[in-house]
Amino acid sequence: MKIIQDFKVLSNIKISKDYFVLDLLSDKKLPKIQPGQFVQVLIENSKNTFLRRPFSIHDVNYEQNTISLLIKKIGEGTTSLSLIQKGDKLNIIYPLGNNFKVLNNKKVLLIGGGCGIAPLLYLAKKLYLNNNHITTLIGGKCKYDIIETDEFFKISDIKITTEDGFIGEKGFVTEHSVFTNNLDFDFIYSCGPEMMLKSVAKIAKLKNIDCEISLENTMACGFGACLCCVTETKDGNKCVCTDGPVFNINKLKW
Amino acid sequence: MVDLSIDIKGLQFKNPVLTASGTFGYGEEFEDFFDIGLLGGIIVKGTTLQPREGNSYPRMVETASGMLNAVGLQNKGVEYFISNIYPRISKYKTNIIVNISGSSIDDYIKAAEKINELENIPAIELNISCPNIKHGGMVFGTNCNSAFEVTKAVRDVYKKCMIVKLSPNVTDITEIAKSVESAGADAVSLINTILAMSINAETRKPVLSTITGGLSGPAIKPVALRMVWQTYKSIKIPIIGIGGIMNATDAIEFILAGATAIQIGTANFIDPITSIKVIEGINSYLIKHNIKTIKELIGGLIL
């Protein structure tokens, strides 16, 4: 059930250079939200932002009826959102899209590149509740892209890479030593830049590990009406907003 | 109590607010947001005789007060519509109108014949104005002779209400409107998207995979309004106004310019409840201005 409603901004916290987390309060009970789903946010007071912007749901708190969004400042829309203040209202359509498959009692690897870590926190929490052993690999260009490690540290083994090697291992996430050692994971979940996801998919296929990735795409509606955000799959063009954003790599033409 | 109802060739609409093809899916995508039965009508996604995969990604780019799309009529074909979608949506208590497009006159005829058989589809919208397909589409709608030919050919096989959707990408839209009127169209809807493009200065590449696409949204409203007004003065059949309508005031402007009904398009993406707000807003406008029926307002522009 898709809902359109106003949320009240509880906090807007800058967590790193260009990254911020919005905690948003609903005045009614939250619907069931699955890890991997996203929201479409209306950005007012941003004169060149005409369409809503899609963001992964970073975390959910059913007791307090709040959701969190982890956002990276990239263009005018996200810059405008970064300036939003406690008490402001945000109009949101949610929960949208499909979800990651939450397994039980498995050994899983989460790979997040930059802001791609956004949908993985709520997923990690769900996986943790289902007794999975979780390893989280976080990669970025520089130290500013390595965020929220404390949250992940509580429930998973953390591994880090940066392209400049300032923290963690130097190189791309897919060059991390976790891949050169004996890779005995049952499942890989990943989100990040498309180039990174393609490398992850390649490794997963090579090692014969099942893998789901969350794709990003420019969207007009976010709920399957406009057919703008398609990606090529083995079953033809599919909307990232309704058939995704989560796809099993075997479904994609990669 | 004001009367919002209108009719087009005897087909009754409970209000003049319809949703535009390609912006409202099959209505089902909006069921969570409101009762589809409140609308005057819905025009479902452009349907072709054969299935179409549409164009490659990127298909969409945001522009100043609007967006470009190059979807390219992605749909599963008329047979799939009839056997899978129609049974699900024919329950809606509103006029369900199918938008038909094709690459040849024969395509249009065959698709229209099939849709003609569907009891709960009281009208078609003949799309001779899609700018995003390589063959057919807009080619038919930018020339008086071909616009006449395709309209006449479908008229011969389709007996219910036939609306023809016109392209703005012409020198004089009134000439095309007159051609389709003389070929037997019951109404015209205008405007389809305006052919446009977007370039990424950094990569020096076009943003859309198809290089050009169709511009929609409030950016095109003044153009659409002008074309509706010009067309209103040139033909006798009803006009359905389309182009960047975001609220009731926009809708009323189109009706004043001569539109009998209007379609909400791009606004559906941003606020899925726009069409309901427009119905309520038109109602309030009539009450405020002490007008008993929306019909009194059609072409009510004061010069």
Side-chain angles (χ1 to χ4, degrees):
Chain A
M1 180 83 185
K2 303 180 292 273
I3 299 168
I4 178 166
Q5 71 168 83
D6 284 338
F7 276 77
K8 194 169 144 189
V9 179
L10 283 184
S11 63
N12 174 4
I13 297 166
K14 184 177 172 178
I15 56 166
S16 179
K17 184 176 178 285
D18 294 337
Y19 290 87
F20 58 100
V21 173
L22 298 179
D23 279 332
L24 307 169
L25 175 70
S26 169
D27 58 6
K28 42 190 168 261
K29 201 171 167 339
L30 291 177
K32 191 175 166 99
I33 297 169
Q34 305 278 8
Q37 289 192 294
F38 69 99
V39 298
Q40 274 278 51
V41 179
L42 187 67
I43 304 174
E44 285 163 301
N45 309 319
S46 172
K47 70 179 170 68
N48 292 314
T49 310
F50 175 62
L51 299 166
R52 286 175 187 261
R53 290 290 185 271
F55 299 106
S56 290
I57 295 171
H58 183 49
D59 205 357
V60 179
N61 186 325
Y62 287 105
E63 280 155 32
Q64 292 171 12
N65 287 313
T66 60
I67 61 169
S68 304
L69 307 177
L70 166 63
I71 298 168
K72 186 179 182 185
K73 203 158 64 169
I74 297 199
E76 190 180 316
T78 45
T79 300
S80 173
L81 271 184
S82 73
L83 302 171
I84 202 161
Q85 293 184 355
K86 183 181 173 178
D88 288 350
K89 290 245 157 61
L90 269 188
N91 187 268
I92 284 177
I93 303 175
Y94 82 117
L96 299 171
N98 69 352
N99 54 279
F100 288 112
K101 183 163 77 181
V102 181
L103 300 168
N104 297 296
N105 302 305
K106 299 283 186 213
K107 207 172 164 196
V108 299
L109 175 64
L110 273 54
I111 307 171
C115 210
I117 203 73
L120 301 183
L121 181 63
Y122 185 46
L123 171 67
K125 288 183 175 179
K126 289 278 189 192
L127 289 168
Y128 183 73
L129 288 175
N130 280 13
N131 298 314
N132 293 282
H133 181 273
I134 308 165
T135 302
T136 308
L137 173 57
I138 304 176
K141 277 197 167 58
C142 64
K143 65 173 180 180
Y144 298 116
D145 298 315
I146 309 302
I147 45 183
E148 299 229 305
T149 46
D150 289 352
E151 285 269 36
F152 281 98
F153 184 71
K154 288 179 211 158
I155 51 177
S156 69
D157 294 338
I158 289 216
K159 305 198 182 297
I160 290 167
T161 64
T162 49
E163 286 174 34
D164 60 9
F166 194 84
I167 49 172
E169 291 185 20
K170 185 173 172 22
F172 295 119
V173 276
T174 43
E175 291 169 335
H176 192 273
S177 56
V178 76
F179 295 109
T180 49
N181 299 335
N182 188 21
L183 201 63
D184 63 340
F185 293 101
D186 301 308
F187 207 91
I188 297 175
Y189 301 95
S190 188
C191 182
E194 189 169 302
M195 285 293 279
M196 183 202 96
L197 294 177
K198 283 185 171 163
S199 301
V200 168
K202 206 170 153 186
I203 293 175
K205 278 183 181 170
L206 198 68
K207 306 277 182 182
N208 205 19
I209 302 172
D210 207 3
C211 175
E212 284 183 346
I213 53 152
S214 173
L215 290 181
E216 187 174 40
N217 217 329
T218 48
M219 295 175 183
C221 68
F223 46 87
C226 69
L227 309 186
C228 289
C229 67
V230 291
T231 195
E232 271 192 304
T233 74
K234 288 173 183 167
D235 303 320
N237 286 329
K238 296 285 178 191
C239 283
V240 169
C241 67
T242 46
D243 293 297
V246 178
F247 291 90
N248 190 295
I249 54 167
N250 294 322
K251 295 271 184 207
L252 297 170
K253 277 193 173 171
W254 284 5
Chain B
M1 196 62 185
V2 294
D3 178 14
L4 290 183
S5 72
I6 54 123
D7 76 280
I8 294 174
K9 200 214 177 185
L11 179 61
Q12 293 291 316
F13 293 79
K14 63 185 81 167
N15 62 61
V17 179
L18 289 72
T19 53
S21 177
T23 67
F24 203 68
Y26 295 101
E28 296 173 306
E29 294 81 354
F30 290 76
E31 270 182 22
D32 285 351
F33 302 122
F34 63 87
D35 173 9
I36 307 301
L38 295 171
L39 295 169
I42 63 173
I43 322 258
V44 302
K45 174 72 191 159
T47 303
T48 50
L49 187 60
Q50 302 296 337
R52 285 181 59 91
E53 271 296 305
N55 294 318
S56 303
Y57 185 82
R59 291 178 170 184
M60 190 276 290
V61 57
E62 186 180 59
T63 56
S65 297
M67 59 178 273
L68 305 187
N69 91 80
V71 172
L73 293 173
Q74 180 179 326
N75 78 102
K76 291 184 173 166
V78 70
E79 291 294 351
Y80 183 89
F81 173 80
I82 291 168
S83 50
N84 294 283
I85 299 164
Y86 173 70
R88 297 203 303 262
I89 66 170
S90 59
K91 64 180 184 210
Y92 293 143
K93 304 244 175 304
T94 186
N95 290 321
I96 307 164
I97 299 168
V98 178
N99 178 288
I100 291 176
S101 198
S103 308
S104 68
I105 289 184
D106 203 41
D107 281 1
Y108 281 98
I109 292 172
K110 284 185 176 141
E113 279 175 334
K114 289 175 194 291
I115 298 297
N116 194 38
E117 303 297 313
L118 304 177
E119 193 187 342
N120 291 333
I121 306 289
I124 55 169
E125 182 178 63
L126 209 58
N127 183 0
I128 58 166
S129 45
C130 177
N132 293 325
I133 56 175
K134 280 199 187 110
H135 304 287
M138 195 172 88
V139 174
F140 289 107
T142 49
N143 173 294
C144 287
N145 293 335
S146 55
F148 178 90
E149 265 182 63
V150 67
T151 306
K152 179 78 174 59
V154 177
R155 178 76 291 175
D156 289 343
V157 300
Y158 188 79
K159 301 305 171 198
K160 296 185 236 177
C161 180
M162 180 171 76
I163 302 156
V164 181
K165 188 168 183 176
L166 304 183
S167 171
N169 305 303
V170 292
T171 312
D172 184 353
I173 198 167
T174 67
E175 291 299 321
I176 309 283
K178 282 187 232 167
S179 295
V180 302
E181 180 182 41
S182 64
D186 297 313
V188 287
S189 53
L190 58 139
I191 58 176
N192 204 320
T193 55
I194 297 179
L195 193 63
M197 76 186 282
S198 174
I199 295 172
N200 181 327
E202 291 305 313
T203 61
R204 296 169 64 162
K205 288 184 173 189
V207 179
L208 297 175
S209 68
T210 47
I211 305 175
T212 60
L215 177 64
S216 65
I220 73 167
K221 194 190 97 179
V223 178
L225 212 46
R226 181 265 294 179
M227 289 187 167
V228 165
W229 178 64
Q230 288 179 324
T231 305
Y232 180 67
K233 293 187 298 176
S234 308
I235 58 172
K236 294 196 170 59
I237 53 175
I239 297 165
I240 303 172
I242 324 165
I245 298 174
M246 300 298 284
N247 53 50
T249 308
D250 292 341
I252 286 158
E253 290 173 22
F254 274 87
I255 294 168
L256 289 171
T260 295
I262 57 97
Q263 292 179 18
I264 308 290
T266 303
N268 291 316
F269 302 149
I270 297 152
D271 181 359
I273 311 168
T274 303
S275 47
I276 298 303
K277 291 178 179 167
V278 169
I279 296 167
E280 287 165 0
I282 293 174
N283 195 62
S284 306
Y285 177 91
L286 294 187
I287 293 168
K288 183 181 160 197
H289 292 273
N290 202 20
I291 301 167
K292 286 196 178 59
T293 159
I294 188 73
K295 296 183 197 91
E296 282 177 40
L297 210 60
I298 300 167
L301 183 68
I302 297 168
L303 294 173

